[in-house]
Structure formats: C-alpha cells, structure tokens
Amino acid sequence: MTGPVIVGADDSATTGDALALGQWAATTLDVPLIVAVVHPAPSAIGSGRVDAEWIADRHQAAERVLASARATLGDPPNVDYRVVASSSAAHGLHDLAEHENAVLLVVGSRSTGPVARLFAGSTAERLLAGSVCSVAVAPAGMTIAPGSHGRIGVAYVDTPDGRAALATAARLARRTHSPLLLVTVVARADAAVPFMLGTDAERAFLDTARESYEDALRKAADSVPDVDVSWELRSGDVVETLADLADVDVLICGSRGYGPARRVLLGGVSTRLLRRACRPLIVVPRAD
C-alpha cells in the first residue's frame, strides 16, 4: 500500500477526531497523510462578481481550517495540505482519493451526535456510497486514542465483502503487530425464526446456524498467517452488539456484497453501524 491516507477537514469540532485517526492510520501504514478541505467551485451560471467574492471568501475559510489542522497535528513531516474546489465535499474527496490512489479516506462524524459514538453526517454517508477506497469515520469526542487497545475488530461474515474486510484487517494487524478479533453475531433464540415453526424446529435451526458460523469463523482465523486471531460467536441484535464492541482500536466491516466492484456501497448493517459504533469504523470496498 503506497497511496496516502486522506483526511477530510472542515470547521466542525469533529475534525480533531478525524485528524487523530488519520494520523494514526498514516503512521501505521507508513504512507503520506493529506489533509484536504473542499470549498465550492465557481458556478457555471454564477452571478459574476458576487459569485467570485463568495468563492474567494470560502477559499480563505478553507485556508484557515488547514492552518488549524496544521497546528493540531503539530506540523509533522510527510503531511500535505490541500484546498480542493468541488461541487460538494464528498465529490471533492472522492475525486482526490481517486487521483491520489488513496488507501483510506477519514472523516469525523456529525458533531451533534452522542459523545464517543458515531453519528455520520451527510458527507460521511455520501463518501460511503461509492468510494474507491476504504472509508474510516471517527466517533465524536473520541476519548481513547487509536492504538490504545492493541486489538483490531472485524465484523465477519463468510461473504465476499466479509472476506475483503478480513484481508484489510489482516494487513493492518501485521503492520501494528496486533491480534485480530473476528466477531459474528447471530440472532437471539426468541428472534431467530417465526414462533409458529415451533420450539423444536427453532432449536434445530439455531444449532445448525451456530455450527455453520463457528465453522466459517474457524476457517477464517486459520486463513490468516502470521497474525494472532481469535474469534467469538455472539448472540443478540447484530448492530447493537457490534456497536458496543469497545475494546478494539478500530472495527472493520465490509460494504454491501453487490454493486460496482472495488467500490464501497453501504448495506443495512454498515449503514446502521455508522450511527451507533463507539470505536472508529472502517468500511472497505467489496472485492472484485
């Protein structure tokens, strides 16, 4: 992996969380860091001088955001600061990531969300609807710095996008010398199948499902060389159980298992995790 980590910055309070996560990721992966601010591009049907003055004002505001980001990071080496003109923040970051062959896009969550929980705003959600690279979202008011737990979590299911998440997590684990925790969540007995099937049929269904999931987790763990991998099969609501996984540095999940190859395209679980996770969430593109 040689492309940069890109952090999308703005004037919100959550930019500091995104910068902390982006700096950790760039240092871990030993790649450059780009901090980018997107401001509006001139309109093709703008009103001349008024439009030009407004664009100039937005450009100056973007430069102030970059100056603040530089101060927050301490102006370390190997960090580039960019002002990007585009029709939207998500569009501008998408284009920059594609042009730079980025390995990761990092943004903060909505500042009005619960502290230490994700609550993705419109930019994060739009980034996660077709990004060419993995996208990371940092919880608002991140109280525990990335790298503190020394363990990487993977929301694992035996599907192409689940295996893509595992491959990304394994690369990160080798870089950090961290163990992996693979977690699969199955529904509780009272929510697994309709009650009219009967308790015996329900019990048989659950036993078969658990055996299948355990076998998939075991095989997934064995498929990752040179990494300490453990796995857990948990019961409960899938989103709530994964969102409460607090003792990991990051939680990595796949995107929806269909849609354009090598693009992020959110599914039901990953979309809802964006609004609940208490640790940084990384969503990876589906495999080719």
Side-chain angles (χ1 to χ4, degrees):
M1 294 181 286
T2 58
V5 170
I6 296 175
V7 175
D10 57 23
D11 59 358
S12 71
T14 58
T15 287
D17 304 310
L19 289 170
L21 180 58
Q23 187 174 35
W24 172 78
T27 301
T28 297
L29 299 173
D30 193 24
V31 297
L33 176 65
I34 296 176
V35 181
V37 180
V38 181
H39 75 83
S43 173
I45 54 173
S47 57
R49 180 178 176 182
V50 173
D51 182 62
E53 290 178 350
W54 183 70
I55 293 297
D57 177 74
R58 293 299 84 205
H59 184 91
Q60 291 173 4
E63 292 286 1
R64 289 194 293 271
V65 170
L66 288 183
S68 177
R70 186 180 285 106
T72 298
L73 292 174
D75 202 16
N78 210 26
V79 180
D80 190 14
Y81 302 88
R82 306 273 186 93
V83 174
V84 178
S86 183
S87 58
S88 73
H91 192 193
L93 292 173
H94 271 154
D95 288 347
L96 181 62
E98 191 160 11
H99 181 266
E100 297 291 340
N101 193 29
V103 297
L104 185 67
L105 266 172
V106 183
V107 292
S109 58
R110 189 181 299 171
S111 58
T112 55
V115 173
R117 289 279 180 176
L118 292 185
F119 198 76
S122 59
T123 296
E125 291 172 337
R126 290 171 183 169
L127 281 176
L128 285 159
S131 173
V132 296
C133 65
S134 298
V135 177
V137 186
M142 193 164 51
T143 56
I144 302 175
S148 299
H149 292 292
R151 185 162 72 158
I152 295 168
V154 184
Y156 185 75
V157 286
D158 189 22
T159 60
D161 55 317
R163 292 189 287 273
L166 176 59
T168 296
R171 288 194 294 269
L172 191 57
R174 293 188 186 99
R175 286 279 189 175
T176 58
H177 306 289
S178 301
L180 288 180
L181 172 63
L182 312 186
V183 179
T184 297
V185 183
V186 296
R188 294 184 299 271
D190 60 356
V193 293
F195 70 91
M196 68 280 295
L197 292 182
T199 56
D200 290 340
E202 181 175 332
R203 189 176 299 109
F205 170 83
L206 286 172
D207 289 344
T208 300
R210 292 186 70 88
E211 290 176 3
S212 176
Y213 286 134
E214 287 176 353
D215 184 59
L217 283 165
R218 193 176 297 110
K219 289 179 178 177
D222 292 342
S223 72
V224 183
D226 306 321
V227 175
D228 179 12
V229 185
S230 60
W231 56 268
E232 296 179 7
L233 184 63
R234 302 187 180 187
S235 298
D237 178 85
V238 175
V239 173
E240 294 300 320
T241 302
L242 292 173
D244 289 336
L245 195 64
D247 58 344
V248 295
D249 290 323
V250 295
L251 175 61
I252 300 177
C253 70
S255 56
R256 187 177 298 173
Y258 57 90
R262 299 307 305 164
R263 292 271 177 172
V264 169
L265 188 62
L266 286 185
V269 171
S270 50
T271 299
R272 286 182 288 155
L273 270 177
L274 278 176
R275 302 186 180 278
R276 288 289 301 142
C278 63
R279 296 299 295 149
L281 179 69
I282 298 178
V283 184
V284 305
R286 64 172 289 243
D288 291 329

